[in-house]
Structure formats: structure tokens, C-alpha cells
Amino acid sequence: MKLHELQEEILRLKKETNTVILAHSYQAREIVEIADFTGDSYKLSVDAKGVKADNILFCGVHFMAETAKMLAPQKRVFLANKNAGCPMAEQMDAELISAVKEQDPERTVVAYINTTAKLKTVCDVCVTSSSAVKIVRAIDNDKILFIPDCNLGDYVKRSIPDKDIKLMNGGCPTHAKITAKEVKTAKAEHPNALFLVHPECQPSVVALADYVGSTSGIMDYAMKSDKKEFIIGTETSIAEHLQYECPEKKFYPVTKDIVCHNMKITTLPDVYNSLVGITDGSAFEIIMDSELISKARRCIDEMIRLGG
Ligand code: 13P
Ligand code: SF4
């Protein structure tokens, strides 16, 4: 089947199965094209909450589908490729963070949304990359434990110097690969370009940025800017989507190997097979018991309350 025929079939099956597709901005172009909602993790959380259809098919990584399930527990939520996990979300578990909390119980525990539902049950509030600074600022406590991403945590700490923010040693292996040296080389090659960066990058990389933001933040900034050239410091799909949206501008990934293989594991045939599988029972469904949902959801609701 040709690509556009497969896309047509997917659109037909979406209607037939009463399914909406949520796709993170790191998904490939052909998946973004057949999605009902696209964006960063904050936007997709809010979108999931408002879904009217019976089923949600998530194209992204496991913690994102889990978050959608928690926000729309009455819906059936499926992950398009069951092997798509976020390595950062697996770096810390509830036992470790409970032990750290016992040592330092006065701190409000802020969890990046890139964490498992089980870990969220022992945290106080979630943040996403687009909402972290706003939410940590709004928390009525100056003592914070920020997990797991020390790079995003460092960015929050620098943005709110009056709070005492303790970090732990976790982070995104994809963004950590970008070095300040590579950014300087890209800037020398494209002296008129602005450098737009995701806060999961190392502090030495973030320090070179003209703009720091989430995947949606970077896309909005570049689309609205009257500048014509941009170096993109995040997963390479963002430069590709932007090039497609704004053919008159130029987008350069810092280097071509900033690829999140977990985000890219999902293919259009996976989406098609999942939609077929919703009917025949073979699709990968996110199953969570109601106790886990209610305990883990508290910190997501708190995120939406403080960030909305
Ligand atoms: P966003 O908040 O930009 O969606 O980031 C999610 C993510 O996993 C980035 O690596
Ligand atoms: Fe996880 Fe990094 Fe991939 Fe985002 S880019 S899903 S944080 S591994």
C-alpha cells in the first residue's frame, strides 16, 4: 500500500472505531498528518482530558499514554508501539524517591512528567518542559526537590534563584548528547541563525540559546519570528516539521544525530495495526487500576491547576 493509501485507511478506521489519535511533536511527519491532536506533552495532556471519542491512540512514549489514561480514565487508551518507552522515565523509582523524601521531608517533590505513574504517586506536583518554571514559582514552598531531569532542573533553578531547589542525577540521553562545541560550530556555519533549545539540554548548551522552550514553544517561536534562520537544539523532527510548515525559512538541527529512537520506533503501519487491533483485541492497551490512577493523578491535576 502506498503511503497516502495507508493514511486514507487510517482515517477511515479512526472513524469506524471512534478513535482519536494524539501524536507528540517528535513523531514523523506522516504520523503528525493523520493525528487529531499534536503538540508537546503539556498540550497533549490537556487535549486528552477533553477527548469525546471512545478510544485514544497515542503515538509517543509510554508515560505519555499513561498520562492520557489518567486524565481520561473512562476512555480506552492505546499506545501505537508497545516498545516505545522514555529512558528518563525509568531512571528513578518510587522506592528511591520515598527514601530521599524521608531524609528531607520539608521539600515539595516536583516530578517532570517524564516519570512512571508509580513514581508520580509519591510526588506532589508534575511539570512539563513548558510549564516547569511557572509551576515551581507558583508552589507555596521555597524548598523543592526536582526529579528526575537535572538539566531541566538546572534551568528552573537559574530562572528562580530565590528558591532552594535540590536536583538529582537524571536526564534525557538524547538531549544530553548535544555539546556546546557543536552549537558553536553550527553558529559559526550559520551566523544569522537564532539558536532555539529544549531545556533538557546541558546547561552549557542552554547558556548559548536565544530562546529556551518545549517542543511546541520552539515551533511557535520559530513560526512567529520575523527572523529567517534557526538552529534547532532538540530532536531532529522539530527542524523537519518546521521546514515543512515554513518553507521560506531555514532550519538547521544542531547535528543530525539528535534522534530519540524511542519516539521514532512508531511507524505508520503500527498506527494502522493498532486501529485494526482495537477491534480484534491485539492493540496495546494501557491498563491501570483505579487506585494507581487516583494516587498518581493528584500531581497531574495539581500541574493543570497551577499551570492553566
Ligand atoms: P515536551 O515538553 O517538549 O513535550 O518534551 C517532552 C520530551 O520528552 C522531550 O524530550
Ligand atoms: Fe525521553 Fe529524551 Fe526521548 Fe524525550 S527525547 S522521550 S526525554 S528519551
Side-chain angles (χ1 to χ4, degrees), residues 24 26 61 63-64 85-89 112 114 149 171-175 200 234-235 259-263:
H24 189 269
Y26 287 159
V61 289
F63 79 84
M64 294 179 177
C86 166
M88 170 161 30
Y112 191 21
N114 299 36
D149 187 350
C172 165
T174 304
H175 285 86
E200 286 178 14
T234 189
E235 220 271 351
V259 176
C260 173
H261 296 288
N262 285 278
M263 278 285 183

Side-chain angles (χ1 to χ4, degrees), residues 115-281:
T115 42
T116 62
K118 178 112 187 287
L119 176 50
K120 287 184 177 86
T121 64
V122 299
C123 299
D124 299 303
V125 54
C126 266
V127 296
T128 63
S129 62
S130 64
S131 61
V133 172
K134 183 177 178 190
I135 289 173
V136 173
R137 198 172 270 135
I139 292 170
D140 189 20
N141 184 0
D142 285 347
K143 288 170 90 61
I144 305 287
L145 170 64
F146 190 99
I147 62 159
D149 187 350
C150 61
N151 290 337
L152 176 62
D154 180 87
Y155 175 65
V156 173
K157 213 170 146 88
R158 284 173 200 269
S159 306
I160 317 173
D162 44 320
K163 291 213 179 197
D164 167 7
I165 303 176
K166 180 171 161 176
L167 307 177
M168 288 181 67
N169 210 8
C172 165
T174 304
H175 285 86
K177 279 203 278 192
I178 304 176
T179 64
K181 190 165 172 252
E182 286 167 336
V183 177
K184 286 177 189 161
T185 305
K187 281 183 170 224
E189 274 169 23
H190 309 292
N192 298 322
L194 293 183
F195 176 46
L196 317 184
V197 76
H198 198 284
E200 286 178 14
C201 290
Q202 300 177 51
S204 57
V205 168
V206 172
L208 299 171
D210 296 293
Y211 171 80
V212 184
S214 72
T215 49
S216 293
I218 289 174
M219 289 186 73
D220 288 350
Y221 184 94
M223 285 194 274
K224 286 182 190 145
S225 171
D226 49 17
K227 292 281 184 325
K228 296 282 176 253
E229 290 183 66
F230 305 88
I231 299 163
I232 303 296
T234 189
E235 220 271 351
T236 49
S237 51
I238 299 302
E240 285 162 21
H241 295 323
L242 279 167
Q243 197 58 74
Y244 186 87
E245 299 287 342
C246 313
E248 75 290 358
K249 297 183 179 179
K250 287 213 174 329
F251 299 95
Y252 315 105
V254 176
T255 72
K256 293 235 179 332
D257 65 348
I258 309 305
V259 176
C260 173
H261 296 288
N262 285 278
M263 278 285 183
K264 288 291 150 57
I265 201 174
T266 303
T267 61
L268 205 57
D270 289 336
V271 179
Y272 171 81
N273 289 333
S274 298
L275 287 167
V276 172
I278 287 175
T279 309
D280 73 16

Side-chain angles (χ1 to χ4, degrees), residues 4 22 27 35 38 89 93 95 100 110 130 138 148 153 171 179 182 187 190 197 199 206 213 241 289 291:
H4 78 273
L22 270 60
Q27 296 292 294
T38 58
D93 62 19
E95 288 70 30
V100 174
V110 178
S130 64
T179 64
E182 286 167 336
K187 281 183 170 224
H190 309 292
V197 76
V206 172
H241 295 323
D289 68 53
E291 195 188 338

